[in-house]
């Protein structure tokens, strides 16, 4: 059991570190925060391999690092809690699909949808007063509609990229992606 805990801790630290590095390689960035990156891949993978509890802890640590090292683009404590701590912690919900067949895919969908929902609600409430008159060539009348468009603009590509990465890794790394290597090693 001790060896399993050590492996979970070390793998979690490596996955969070990898996520943090990947978050700094921005493929595209929105003006008020939010970017297209590969950072969710290691966090979601870790959650699916080690379970909900471990996944939530790793994702929370990633959220703290995001706020600390990514410039902390927030307008108050509500935004810090919502856009960083809560929005990144919900990535750990992928752990619901702990070692399930296709878990990385279902986990990615649930985690990304949960993160989107958090950003969506925070955007429509906390960020509402900063809604521009025009966005994507459309006149904005509702902060809920604006938040939907804004957050879909980066979360949809992030979700698709995460799913594509898992699909590309599926054949060569299936035992790792499903946690089968851990079952063989630790008998769980």
């Amino acid at each position: 059991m001790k060896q399993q805990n050590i492996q979970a801790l070390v793998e979690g630290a490596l996955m969070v570190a990898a996520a943090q590095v990947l978050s700094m390689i921005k493929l595209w960035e929105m003006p008020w925060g939010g970017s297209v990156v590969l950072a969710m891949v290691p966090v979601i993978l870790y959650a699916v391999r080690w379970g909900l509890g471990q996944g939530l802890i790793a994702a929370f640590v990633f959220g703290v690092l995001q706020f600390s090292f990514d410039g902390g683009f927030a307008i108050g404590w509500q935004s810090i809690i919502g856009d960083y701590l809560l929005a990144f912690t919900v990535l750990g919900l992928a752990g619901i699909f702990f070692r399930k067949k296709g878990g990385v895919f279902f986990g990615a969908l649930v985690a990304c949808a949960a993160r989107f929902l958090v950003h969506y609600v925070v955007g429509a409430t906390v960020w509402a007063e900063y809604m521009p008159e025009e966005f994507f060539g459309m006149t904005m009348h509702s902060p809920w509609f604006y938040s939907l468009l804004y957050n879909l603009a980066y979360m949809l590509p992030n979700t698709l990229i995460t799913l594509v990465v898992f699909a590309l890794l599926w054949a060569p790394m299936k035992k790792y992606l499903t946690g089968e290597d851990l079952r063989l090693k630790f008998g769980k």
Side-chain angles (χ1 to χ4, degrees), residues 41-52:
V41 172
V43 176
I44 291 169
L45 176 57
Y46 179 76
V48 171
R49 285 176 53 79
W50 290 97
L52 182 63

Side-chain angles (χ1 to χ4, degrees), residues 80-164:
I80 294 168
I81 290 171
D83 281 329
Y84 289 95
L85 302 181
L86 187 57
F88 286 100
T89 299
V90 297
L91 293 176
L93 291 175
I96 294 169
F97 297 95
F98 175 59
R99 298 187 189 161
K100 301 255 191 285
K101 184 177 180 177
V104 290
F105 301 106
F106 296 117
L109 289 172
V110 166
C112 292
R115 181 176 167 205
F116 166 77
L117 286 174
V118 171
H119 286 305
Y120 173 61
V121 171
V122 171
T125 56
V126 176
W127 290 92
E129 65 184 278
Y130 298 98
M131 179 181 78
E133 289 184 25
E134 189 175 291
F135 186 69
F136 286 151
M138 294 181 271
T139 303
M140 294 291 112
H141 298 288
S142 164
W144 292 97
F145 184 65
Y146 167 65
S147 184
L148 177 75
L149 292 177
Y150 187 96
N151 290 296
L152 272 179
Y154 68 92
M155 281 305 300
L156 187 58
N158 275 328
T159 303
L160 295 173
I161 287 170
T162 300
L163 290 169
V164 167

